[in-house]
Amino acid sequence: MERKEGIIKMEDVQGNPSYSEYTVNNFPLQSIFDLSSREDEKIRSLGFMDLLGIQDLTGSPLLDIMVPSLTATQAPPTPPSKKIDSPEATNQPATPNFSSISSASSEAVNDEPVKADEQEENQQKTNKQLKPKKTNQKRQREPRFAFMTKSEVDHLEDGYRWRKYGQKAVKNSSFPRSYYRCTTASCNVKKRVERCFGDPSIVVTTYEGQHTHPSPIMPRPSLGSSHLGSPMSAAAFGTPMQRTPPHYQHQHQQQPLTNGLSPLNFGHKIGSINASFLHEKRLCTPGPSLLKDHGLLQDILPPHMLKEE
DNA sequence: CGTATTTGACCGGCGC
DNA sequence: GCGCCGGTCAAATACG
């Protein structure tokens, strides 16, 4: 499968200098990945590594393999004095990893997962054949989590099987956005993949929904011990890095900017321990109306940053 | 031949 | 009301 690396054509950064700045130069990941507004301000002031419990990660073979330089040089320095004591932050569930870097979209405010949706859809499908999504309310969305990965390939191996169902050109970007859906029946997780127009080497992946099943791809035995100390080990559900076949790594050199954290774990955990966290996030996030049309940007940039531009 | 991808069309939401 | 845009569908195509 050919990658569309040929289209890499650094179009003008379209008035989003700060975007590339943030993602490439400064790398305040906590800012990028946490798009919830108020809370993310708190988190942002907290050291990213603190939130991540980075000691575990740095010791992880994952990082040794994938992001040796990243962890060392590009990880945002921990703010010296600023510490937060917000309940959410200190309460970061067993997986500090994702909580801090992933971003929960405020779009998803439906507490009931899929059931209601499915029922409605089934019901409406009888009426019309073509996507009868019309309900009393707006179309409800699943929680979304955006993260960025430095990778040559658009579609990262993450342990789950995805089927591409669409691709669209992105406004203000020369790179298309691809839409994937989990191939597992009854699993309605979707993800969007697009390249950062500021830095084509960065892939922005946005997951929507939660997996209702474990990763279909079994972890490599050799990596079984790589998660020591990590309550929600990546090995449990599969990370882009771990799932990545060795040849893949060599060829494409994936560099997860998320410091080796996979939102997939996150997504899968949503139903369990992270549920409360997500809920908190949602409660603390502004309504979608506050987020203007920034496309995926709104998933990865805190609202205040968007406003500033 | 079954499965995955491509791609143009379609739909709904939203701003003007 | 109209047009733009993001997201999805589904037929056609490619691939193993």
Side-chain angles (χ1 to χ4, degrees), chain A residues 39-266:
Chain A
E39 185 181 354
D40 81 313
E41 287 179 15
K42 300 179 198 167
I43 295 181
R44 208 177 307 131
S45 46
L46 179 68
F48 184 56
M49 294 310 177
D50 290 349
L51 286 173
L52 296 185
I54 199 65
Q55 61 276 18
D56 285 342
L57 293 170
T58 49
S60 161
L62 291 181
L63 292 178
D64 289 343
I65 294 172
M66 302 309 303
V67 283
S69 60
L70 260 183
T71 52
T73 64
Q74 299 193 342
T78 301
S81 56
K82 275 188 165 180
K83 282 283 174 185
I84 64 168
D85 41 9
S86 102
E88 288 93 357
T90 54
N91 216 1
Q92 306 277 330
T95 66
N97 312 358
F98 284 124
S99 354
S100 50
I101 59 157
S102 298
S103 51
S105 165
S106 54
E107 280 185 27
V109 197
N110 55 327
D111 286 334
E112 315 182 58
V114 212
K115 283 184 186 169
D117 252 358
E118 282 182 354
Q119 284 182 355
E120 281 180 27
E121 277 194 2
N122 288 339
Q123 177 181 350
Q124 291 168 345
K125 261 177 190 168
T126 58
N127 291 343
K128 260 194 172 182
Q129 286 182 335
L130 211 57
K131 56 162 26 171
K133 291 246 168 96
K134 202 176 124 199
T135 58
N136 296 337
Q137 294 185 336
K138 271 199 244 176
R139 198 156 73 100
Q140 295 179 336
R141 287 193 172 277
E142 300 287 331
R144 295 193 304 180
F145 303 94
F147 73 108
M148 305 171 77
T149 306
K150 187 160 190 150
S151 172
E152 305 265 326
V153 298
D154 294 332
H155 192 194
L156 306 175
E157 285 292 335
D158 53 21
Y160 292 90
R161 293 185 58 80
W162 301 93
R163 189 170 66 86
K164 190 174 185 176
Y165 67 89
Q167 176 171 307
K168 289 288 275 188
V170 181
K171 210 183 164 192
N172 293 335
S173 173
S174 50
F175 308 110
R177 174 184 301 159
S178 298
Y179 298 89
Y180 297 89
R181 181 173 291 151
C182 184
T183 58
T184 303
S186 80
C187 181
N188 68 332
V189 176
K190 296 174 215 166
K191 78 171 178 181
R192 296 178 296 184
V193 177
E194 73 176 282
R195 290 204 172 269
C196 170
F197 53 82
D199 184 350
S201 67
I202 295 178
V203 176
V204 180
T205 306
T206 303
Y207 289 87
E208 181 173 329
Q210 35 188 301
H211 289 285
T212 60
H213 58 95
S215 167
I217 304 176
M218 299 312 290
R220 288 183 296 166
S222 58
L223 287 175
S225 60
S226 67
H227 58 284
L228 32 97
S230 220
M232 286 309 285
S233 72
F237 301 108
T239 66
M241 298 66 75
Q242 282 184 310
R243 301 304 186 217
T244 304
H247 72 274
Y248 212 66
Q249 292 177 2
H250 291 144
Q251 281 180 357
H252 302 294
Q253 177 203 21
Q254 295 181 0
Q255 292 186 343
L257 300 186
T258 56
N259 283 317
L261 305 168
S262 164
L264 287 197
N265 302 350
F266 204 36

